[in-house]
Amino acid sequence: MSLKRDWWKLLGIILVIYSLLGGMLVPLGPGIVRVNPFRTTSGTTFVLSVQGYNSHYLESEVQAWLKLDEHHALKARLVEVQDNRHLEATFDMPVSFPRPDSINVLSVVLYNAVDGHSILPGAIFAKSMNGQISSAEGWRDVIVQVNESVTFHFPFRNILLETIRNTFFHVQLWLSMMIILGLSMIYSLLYLRKRSLQADQKAQAFASVGLLYGMLGIVTGMIWAKNSWGAYWSFDVKQNMAAIAMLIYFAFFILRSSIADQDLSRRFSAVYNIFAFLMLIPLLYIIPRMTASLHPGSGGNPAFGSQDLDNTMRMFFYPAIIGWTLLGIWMANLQWRYQRLLTDQLET
Amino acid sequence: MFGQLRALIHKDLLLDFRQLFGLGGIFLYVFSSFFIVYLSFGEVSGNAWITLYWIVVLFGSVNAVLKSFAQEDDSRNIYYYTISDPLAILLSKLFYNTLLVLIISGLSLLLFSLLTAYPMQENGFFALALLLGSLGIAANFTFVSAIANHTRNKSTMMMILSLPVIIPLLLPLIRLSIKCLGPATWAMVESDFTLLASVDLLIIGLSLVLFPFLSRG
């Protein structure tokens, strides 16, 4: 193993270990897990107990607000901290609301100098006892706007919580898989143009690694789903599309073995590979976005896609993709070299 | 090019009308599948009607399109490929198979409506969906049967190779059909039609580009 030739394999290993360690060890930022009770009425004194996550309520004074919208918020009269994770905030609900709705949805906002802002959106349902009168009296408190302190942590997202780490396992497997299957398609194209045996062997090797990554992606997704949705398989659109994508590549391998003539089988499977890859894109990307689904990032969920990544997560996400792709190329490399040895042996 | 197209389509038509057992067999298949399902379910309505309808059309079309490639032996095929442009062959098969699938879906619609109540309210949208759907199904099966023709078990390979790709075609089709059961506006069905049309274009475009590679040799 010479470093000059195989430097990319070492780089792949380093990047994968780095992303695994970082992905598992970096703590999550502070946030609010739940509040209790979640209903209140106007004109009453309302004691809200808040449970936080990775928060430090004892270390600095905590201020709390009930936020109606950008211009209306109500500050807590009293905040009693029980420990780092639990506190009780007392609010004197005004007699009426700025809008003449009978039920208003309020968000809970906490601020402290150590944690910065924590928000639980849409947490409280406040009923107005005299819904005809609308007045902004009492809703004019201002939420402290301070630049956030710089600590290294992953963003806290409601519902996702710690499972946000799945980005480094599940999401990047799919992206690495797309890159590897793309490489497989390119080698199939090369085979059709130049009829070189090597190109076909490389295409097949990349397709098999791509299939492996796809299966791993589905399995990691299923483990996450059991935790978050309660079932391994919910017939969610993205899950179904992913399964179909795997079926397409299984069909590729079955096709290769079911044609008697070697030359014909290589040519036809190369054509099918190109066809399959180009059909994959509408399957995996366009159809799930058109329908509502349970998956984060579609249909009203706390949005989580590559547009929504925090800079801290990007530091581990991009190296993870590169590292896993390099590992995949290494696996495919071994496989087609083995195939080449077999065919060379047959010919001598 | 058009001369070749016309000649090839004419040839396919003649073949099918001279040996009626081919086409007749397919219509019998469609009719018996529907009849069996109807006997077991009794009254079929709404979503069940739509799903059944499209499944029967799909499986009927598989047989029809596969037959169109498999009915001629290798030497005859080599003759065709030498005297005409492979694109002309593909286009002629595409056109003929689309016609075939349209007839199958139309006939199934008739049969279904005779034996159970016709549930569609938005006929215009449904007709357009039928058109686009038949085109997509025919295009997909034509391309896949060109590949499957050389394999050992043709019909199994046909199913395996084409069914994954038929799903992005079937999903908007079934969604559209369900929407056509009740009153529907263009705004409701627009996204489904665009998806259907784009998948159709994708399949046809890919087959046009890739078919010449299949036919050489």
Side-chain angles (χ1 to χ4, degrees), chain A residues 105-179:
Chain A
V105 181
L106 301 163
S107 307
V108 175
V109 180
L110 294 179
Y111 175 78
N112 108 355
V114 174
D115 295 334
H117 287 95
S118 308
I119 303 180
L120 188 65
I124 312 277
F125 292 92
K127 190 166 174 193
S128 170
M129 291 314 287
N130 44 348
Q132 302 307 316
I133 308 171
S134 61
S135 141
E137 194 57 50
W139 288 99
R140 299 224 178 87
D141 295 325
V142 174
I143 299 178
V144 172
Q145 303 283 348
V146 182
N147 281 333
E148 302 288 321
S149 63
V150 193
T151 53
F152 195 76
H153 55 73
F154 290 149
F156 179 88
R157 295 262 188 271
N158 303 311
I159 304 176
L160 279 178
L161 300 183
E162 289 280 355
T163 64
I164 211 174
R165 299 182 198 280
N166 206 21
T167 330
F168 308 119
F169 298 98
H170 174 72
V171 182
Q172 69 35 266
L173 266 178
W174 284 115
L175 286 171
S176 303
M177 180 197 82
M178 289 304 287
I179 297 175

Side-chain angles (χ1 to χ4, degrees), chain A residues 189 192-193 195 237 241 244-245 247-248 250-252 254-261 264 267-272 274-276 278-283 286-287 290-291, chain B residues 140 143-144 146-153 157 160-165 167-169 171-172 175 191-192 194-195 199 202-203 206-207 210-217:
Chain A
L189 272 170
L192 285 179
R193 292 187 130 247
R195 299 301 156 94
V237 181
M241 292 301 137
I244 291 167
L247 281 177
I248 292 180
F250 274 125
F252 168 77
I254 296 179
L255 181 64
R256 278 186 85 90
S257 56
S258 77
I259 299 181
D261 184 345
L264 221 60
R267 186 152 46 100
F268 278 31
S269 55
V271 170
Y272 189 69
I274 300 168
F275 183 68
L278 292 173
M279 291 306 296
L280 208 61
I281 289 133
L283 276 182
I286 302 180
I287 295 187
M290 291 187 63
T291 57
Chain B
N140 186 31
F143 183 68
V144 170
I147 296 179
N149 201 28
H150 294 261
T151 62
R152 278 186 273 252
N153 355 9
M157 281 318 294
I160 297 174
L161 291 177
S162 60
L163 246 29
V165 179
I167 303 286
L169 205 53
L171 271 183
R175 262 209 308 267
S191 63
D192 286 324
T194 3
L195 187 58
V199 175
L202 194 61
I203 299 178
L206 280 176
S207 348
L210 294 172
F211 187 76
F213 291 103
L214 289 177
S215 59
R216 283 188 215 138

Side-chain angles (χ1 to χ4, degrees), chain B residues 67 90 121 139 170 216:
Chain B
K67 182 192 63 61
L90 178 69
Q121 277 197 27
L170 263 188
R216 283 188 215 138

